Amino acid sequence: MRKVVFGIDLGGTHIKAGIVDRGGEVLKHTVAPTLAGQGREALLARLCAIIADFRAYSASAGLLPAGIGVGTAGYVEPLKGRVAYATPNLPGWTGLQLREALEQASALPVAVANDAHAMAVGEAWLGAGRPYRDFICVTLGTGVGGARVIDGAPDYGSSGFAGGFGHMVIAWGGRPCNCGLSGCYEQYASVTALLRLASEAGLRGEALPDGAKSIFALASAGHPAASAIIAQYAEYTAVGLINLAHSLNPQAIVLGGAVTTQGDALLEPIRRIVRERAMPIYRDTPIVAAALGNAAGEVGAAKLAWNRLSSG
Ligand SMILES: [Zn+2]
């Protein structure tokens, strides 16, 4: 029988999951709402229901489930598979022994990581990170997350919490952040921040039927305020990338998150600012868009499951 693993990407709003083979092919994919407000037990039950569905599908399709990988929002101790801290977006998740809970429920080996770490592993395995031995991934979404990947594996740091790029302070005394600091990078480079810039310029509601996408559509149609917003957002985003290039000297920077599907309309101004302002020895760090889109998290989680199996 063909061995497979289940890769699960648990975000604040959606759970994306796939049955993934050894080569990274997604044989079945599903999406479910997280409904985190219903609490820890309900969310664990929802994960178990997805696993049960995948099991049933595998049995009917002649597939042999060998393990599970989970990338979850929150700060994870990867060796223990424990969520050390999750924001109130996932009530009850802080302190959860997620690996243990899912191993008991499924009787399969489980690997658990932070969702941005999992996404970066996906990009390293089959996406934009493939050509690079050492790169960083920065995800621009509701917040800003990330990971450094070396030889295909995330750099977890001493406890598992490395990659908190969104909470680098880039503006001392700047905008208050939900982490308790002020001036954090994600207050300037997240999509939330992009939409706030637009709102401050009078672009909101009906002017942006597709949210951030509409800002790019307006700019390409010659709307000067929209172009100015993107220029400002690119500048903020570039400042953080310059900090990361200076401190980590990666071979490349992979930008993820739905906004990066705008491609060069966003990436070119960012690249230009990095070229102009980074120290000369760092200026040519390639900045590329993530390639796996929405699937990166579940594919990366699956890869972590495969890695756990091959390491015994
Ligand atoms: Zn912060």
Side-chain angles (χ1 to χ4, degrees):
M1 284 219 288
R2 185 174 178 191
K3 269 194 188 179
V4 292
V5 296
F6 305 156
I8 300 174
D9 179 11
L10 171 61
T13 57
H14 289 95
I15 304 167
K16 287 165 261 175
I19 300 178
V20 182
D21 75 4
R22 191 70 190 86
E25 189 183 344
V26 179
L27 306 172
K28 183 174 173 56
H29 169 77
T30 189
V31 181
T34 305
L35 303 176
Q38 294 180 358
R40 173 203 282 212
E41 295 312 315
L43 182 47
L44 277 171
R46 203 163 295 113
L47 293 176
C48 289
I50 290 172
I51 292 166
D53 275 356
F54 277 3
R55 271 219 146 101
Y57 178 87
S58 300
S60 69
L63 305 170
L64 180 64
I68 298 170
V70 183
T72 175
Y75 292 80
V76 174
E77 294 164 294
L79 291 178
K80 296 181 193 161
R82 174 178 174 272
V83 181
Y85 174 72
T87 68
N89 292 337
L90 289 178
W93 224 236
T94 296
L96 175 63
Q97 300 279 2
L98 182 56
R99 186 173 85 193
E100 197 177 294
L102 293 180
E103 283 186 341
Q104 277 174 10
S106 69
L108 288 170
V110 176
V112 177
N114 161 268
D115 55 352
H117 289 170
M119 187 223 142
V121 168
E123 289 293 332
W125 189 25
L126 298 168
R130 273 177 95 168
Y132 308 109
R133 195 190 71 78
D134 175 354
F135 69 96
I136 59 172
C137 209
V138 181
T139 55
L140 311 173
T142 311
V144 172
R148 181 185 193 186
V149 178
I150 300 174
D151 290 329
D155 170 14
Y156 289 113
S158 60
S159 328
F161 315 144
F165 304 147
H167 301 284
M168 295 188 292
V169 174
I170 64 162
W172 190 246
R175 288 186 183 276
C177 183
N178 53 19
C179 74
L181 283 165
S182 292
C184 289
Y185 184 41
E186 78 173 28
Q187 294 303 319
Y188 299 85
S190 61
V191 173
T192 315
L194 171 60
L195 289 168
R196 188 174 49 221
L197 279 175
S199 175
E200 286 167 0
L203 287 177
R204 62 176 87 86
E206 285 175 7
L208 302 178
D210 278 327
K213 248 190 217 171
S214 299
I215 305 173
F216 288 88
L218 286 169
S220 74
H223 191 296
S227 301
I229 290 159
I230 292 168
Q232 178 66 263
Y233 176 70
E235 185 169 358
Y236 288 147
T237 303
V239 168
L241 301 186
I242 290 169
N243 286 341
L244 291 169
H246 284 176
S247 44
L248 300 172
N249 184 211
Q251 281 179 299
I253 296 172
V254 174
L255 288 184
V259 73
T260 60
T261 58
Q262 298 297 331
D264 284 349
L266 175 64
L267 267 66
E268 258 317 303
I270 293 174
R271 291 182 187 119
R272 194 179 61 244
I273 294 163
V274 171
R275 274 199 303 271
E276 285 169 5
R277 313 226 191 128
M279 286 170 60
I281 50 174
Y282 301 101
R283 267 176 196 172
D284 296 324
T285 309
I287 298 171
V288 299
L292 298 183
N294 256 339
E298 70 192 61
V299 168
K303 177 65 170 145
L304 291 168
W306 284 119
N307 290 352
R308 167 125 204 253
L309 291 171
S310 56
S311 69

